[in-house]
Amino acid sequence: NVGPTEVQSRCALAKSSESIGKQWEAAFFGCLRDSPSSEALKHASITGDMKAWTAALTQLSITTCEILNWKACGKGCPLDVLPVANQEYLALDVMAFEPNDRPWKFPTAVFELENSRDPERVAFSLWKVLCVRARLRMVFCYRRKTEEGAALIQTLRRDVIQSMSVEQRSGLDGETWVVLGTRGEAGTFPDGFFKWWQLDPQTGSFSLA
């Protein structure tokens, strides 16, 4: 098992060379190998229990943010780093902030944990995070079959990304990721289960990272 201290050390080493998304991914996998929520997420993925999947993923996402020294909130985990305390700011599933003294700070990272099999709901989640100014925007989603994943990514590119003008797309700050979990790869959990797709704002395409 990889403990929180070791994960933090690995993340610190990566900060000088890796993107913020890759730093978060490294911390997330460290949590998966060490957190009790990992087994809950694996079981929910295999059985298709989407309510349990969302609950476990919410906790894992918040813990991952905390490893990176961010303050994070989500359902059941309120936060008071802004003058108004809340659990789900802007109706986003998870939001994280780097600590500073400014009262109305912008988020460092925002996450949508979309458990619906409806591609329009996933598209809506991607649209939501794209509307937010943050260094990291991430959408988690789930499909039963491996072959459904690439088709979903193409749908998101066509319906959401190509709806933006070139100026809007190229003007995006930060990084945008879609993380796809697949029931068909549950046997290789966690490494093979998740596919990490990063948006290239210049080309408007997603690529496996």
Side-chain angles (χ1 to χ4, degrees):
N1 288 348
V2 179
T5 302
E6 185 175 347
V7 174
Q8 287 173 322
S9 298
R10 290 182 184 180
C11 292
L13 289 172
K15 283 183 179 180
S16 60
S17 59
E18 288 191 337
S19 73
I20 189 171
K22 296 301 287 183
Q23 293 173 43
W24 199 91
E25 179 187 355
F28 180 73
F29 275 117
C31 285
L32 278 175
R33 295 187 177 95
D34 193 59
S35 171
S37 297
S38 178
E39 278 302 312
L41 181 62
K42 180 179 180 180
H43 180 74
S45 301
I46 293 172
T47 60
D49 184 345
M50 292 293 92
K51 184 176 180 180
W53 182 87
T54 302
L57 194 53
T58 298
Q59 187 55 60
L60 283 163
S61 298
I62 290 173
T63 302
T64 300
C65 291
E66 291 171 347
I67 284 175
L68 292 171
N69 296 317
W70 303 342
K71 300 294 185 181
C73 61
K75 188 173 183 179
C77 299
L79 195 63
D80 60 358
V81 298
L82 299 183
V84 176
N86 210 324
Q87 298 182 56
E88 295 178 303
Y89 288 109
L90 304 180
L92 289 160
D93 291 326
V94 175
M95 186 175 286
F97 302 84
E98 290 180 278
N100 60 53
D101 295 331
R102 294 189 293 274
W104 288 106
K105 53 183 70 66
F106 283 102
T108 301
V110 292
F111 304 83
E112 275 290 282
L113 316 176
E114 183 52 66
N115 61 26
S116 174
R117 298 186 180 93
D118 181 356
E120 291 295 338
R121 295 298 305 178
V122 183
F124 176 56
S125 290
L126 177 58
W127 176 82
K128 281 176 68 176
V129 299
L130 285 168
C131 289
V132 179
R133 180 184 299 175
R135 290 176 60 201
L136 177 63
R137 295 175 291 270
M138 193 168 283
V139 174
F140 276 85
C141 50
Y142 174 87
R143 285 295 176 269
R144 288 178 176 270
K145 299 178 181 179
T146 304
E147 56 268 25
E148 295 175 337
L152 175 62
I153 294 297
Q154 290 305 312
T155 297
L156 296 176
R157 180 178 184 269
R158 183 192 67 232
D159 293 350
V160 182
I161 304 304
Q162 291 185 353
S163 293
M164 305 171 70
S165 69
V166 174
E167 291 77 15
Q168 288 173 327
R169 194 185 70 224
S170 60
L172 285 172
D173 60 338
E175 300 176 14
T176 304
W177 294 72
V178 174
V179 185
L180 226 162
T182 308
R183 181 177 177 180
E185 301 291 340
T188 57
F189 188 93
D191 299 273
F193 177 79
F194 292 102
K195 298 293 187 292
W196 300 72
W197 296 83
Q198 184 176 11
L199 174 67
D200 182 340
Q202 301 307 312
T203 65
S205 60
F206 288 94
S207 58
L208 276 171

